[in-house]
Amino acid sequence: MALLAVENLRVTYGAVEAVRNVSFHLDRGQILGIVGESGSGKSTLGYAIAKLLRPPGQIVGGHVWFDGVDLVPLSELELKPIRWRELAVVMQSGMNALNPVAPIRRQFEDAILTHRPMGAKAMRERVREMLALVNIEERYADHYPHELSGGMKQRVAIALALVLEPKLIIFDEPTTALDVVVQRYIVQNLKALRERYHFSALFISHDLGTVLEIADRVAVMYAGRLVEVQDARSLLQHPQHPYTQALLSCFPDPRADHIEVMGIPGSPPDLADVRPGCPFAPRCAQIIDRCWRETPAYLASPDGNGVACHMVKEREGSAYV
Ligand SMILES: Nc1ncnc2c1ncn2[C@@H]1O[C@H](COP(=O)(O)OP(=O)(O)O)[C@@H](O)[C@H]1O
Ligand SMILES: [Mg+2]
């Protein structure tokens, strides 16, 4: 059984449907990258899965199976034992969950005492150990968040997400506000932490380069929908959807440090606008008549990859039927 199976998930903000019938699954120990332009619904998807949407955002359809339990109908009280201990979230740096008025140590202690209490001595050791994991000296435990640099704060946020050893961590643009050197450092650090803790993760980013570096599989989002899911390696070599192809062709070396999802001409549709047809059609180089009339369904192949494109479906010998 997959650790996480999202099924036909739909999220609206009033009249705007920001996540449109999204389905995918995440196996244990895997990192799934979610990539797409700003406004494509990545954060909304991540927050919906963690049941952290704020009004007017609401889930209007679908399921989020986490370890066999559908989180969608659960109340706050029912979610309490799952949050942090089983499923943690690391937000965009600068907006992270650190409490500005408490020293770092207290934030770890509060999490431990609320969810998995232990004695004072063990707790002290645990804080030291968690900070060491992200290469932060213990003396910073008694500092306040504002006394740390952006990169350090983000590493503390990662350590704080890990402290209860959750099965799933959702990272939403964890490195976006940081400079390139710090970004690389954090990504390398995350890879090492994953070796040690075997967590699964959703890694959300608008930077395809970072996603390809860290993720086992990649989900590409466009205008609230998934348009392609593939193994990172095969996505790089054989992108199926014209949007993915365009993203990759913008860059001479796809292994470059940064592949900003901004290089293709035109802009994504307004999500409030519900015209028929493929949402990518106005920017697509491989368009056929049908693309203007019908929104392509997301089709999964037997190996769990998937694509939403009329062209790909009609290609001879396509695995997507
Ligand atoms: N708080 C909100 N209120 C109303 N609409 C929102 C809100 N947050 C996001 N949206 C809508 O959802 C779309 C997707 O936003 P978001 O999930 O933040 O995208 P991403 O993380 O990919 O940049 C936005 O383009 C906007 O139309
Ligand atoms: Mg976002």
Side-chain angles (χ1 to χ4, degrees):
M1 183 179 59
L3 176 64
L4 176 73
V6 172
E7 220 179 283
N8 302 321
L9 192 65
R10 295 175 54 219
V11 180
T12 57
Y13 296 97
V16 172
E17 192 171 343
V19 170
R20 304 182 172 195
N21 237 32
V22 166
S23 301
F24 66 86
H25 66 84
L26 175 70
D27 289 329
R28 279 162 219 276
Q30 271 201 338
I31 298 184
L32 177 78
I34 300 178
V35 71
E37 278 158 304
S38 173
S40 58
K42 305 181 298 297
S43 297
T44 303
L45 176 62
Y47 285 70
I49 291 167
K51 294 286 300 271
L52 289 170
L53 284 171
R54 298 247 174 84
Q58 61 167 330
I59 296 176
V60 294
H63 305 278
V64 175
W65 299 100
F66 176 67
D67 221 359
V69 176
D70 187 4
L71 302 184
V72 171
L74 298 193
S75 66
E76 279 303 301
L77 195 66
E78 291 166 320
L79 287 164
K80 206 173 164 228
I82 297 172
R83 290 233 169 95
W84 215 328
R85 206 158 70 178
E86 307 264 311
L87 190 170
V89 176
V90 176
M91 295 180 218
Q92 186 164 341
S93 42
M95 328 177 359
N96 67 40
L98 299 184
N99 177 354
V101 299
I104 304 296
R105 180 186 308 286
R106 225 181 61 221
Q107 312 202 27
F108 282 92
E109 290 176 350
D110 284 351
I112 294 167
L113 290 174
T114 309
H115 298 275
R116 196 168 287 162
M118 53 177 80
K121 193 162 168 248
M123 202 152 62
R124 217 180 159 78
E125 177 53 24
R126 184 88 177 128
V127 174
R128 193 195 58 74
E129 188 185 295
M130 294 313 296
L131 289 176
L133 273 179
V134 291
N135 296 312
I136 290 178
E137 291 167 48
E138 190 183 9
R139 65 190 169 97
Y140 287 105
D142 299 305
H143 284 52
Y144 286 84
H146 74 265
E147 297 174 296
L148 274 56
S149 70
M152 283 174 84
K153 272 191 284 204
Q154 197 60 345
R155 281 183 282 143
V156 170
I158 292 168
L160 205 47
L162 273 166
V163 68
L164 303 168
E165 299 183 29
K167 294 179 187 142
L168 174 65
I169 307 180
I170 299 177
F171 294 94
D172 185 17
E173 309 263 8
T175 63
T176 297
L178 306 172
D179 74 59
V180 175
V181 176
V182 180
Q183 284 190 20
R184 287 202 71 87
Y185 179 73
I186 288 182
V187 167
Q188 293 306 331
N189 202 223
L190 266 183
K191 284 180 163 175
L193 289 175
R194 179 251 194 124
E195 293 294 304
R196 173 151 175 191
Y197 284 95
H198 309 287
F199 54 80
S200 309
L202 294 181
F203 189 94
I204 297 171
S205 176
H206 68 285
D207 180 359
L208 184 51
T210 303
V211 165
L212 286 170
E213 187 177 338
I214 196 160
D216 304 299
R217 291 168 66 73
V218 177
V220 182
M221 265 189 109
Y222 191 78
R225 298 176 199 277
L226 283 193
V227 295
E228 178 159 8
V229 177
Q230 275 217 64
D231 289 350
R233 193 169 303 163
S234 57
L235 184 100
L236 190 54
Q237 284 160 1
H238 308 288
Q240 299 286 311
H241 196 283
Y243 180 57
T244 318
Q245 292 171 357
L247 293 178
L248 285 165
S249 71
C250 295
F251 302 90
D253 177 6
R255 267 155 289 219
D257 279 357
H258 285 277
I259 305 181
E260 295 274 331
V261 184
M262 284 171 182
I264 57 174
S267 50
D270 177 358
L271 287 175
D273 186 359
V274 283
R275 254 178 277 194
C278 175
F280 188 59
R283 301 168 84 184
C284 186
Q286 302 173 44
I287 193 158
I288 54 177
D289 260 6
R290 198 174 163 197
C291 305
W292 296 113
R293 294 192 308 266
E294 257 178 73
T295 307
Y298 177 80
L299 300 173
S301 69
D303 56 10
N305 294 340
V307 70
C309 176
H310 294 313
M311 275 295 295
V312 173
K313 200 185 155 199
E314 292 188 2
R315 224 176 265 155
E316 209 158 343
S318 168
Y320 303 96
V321 284

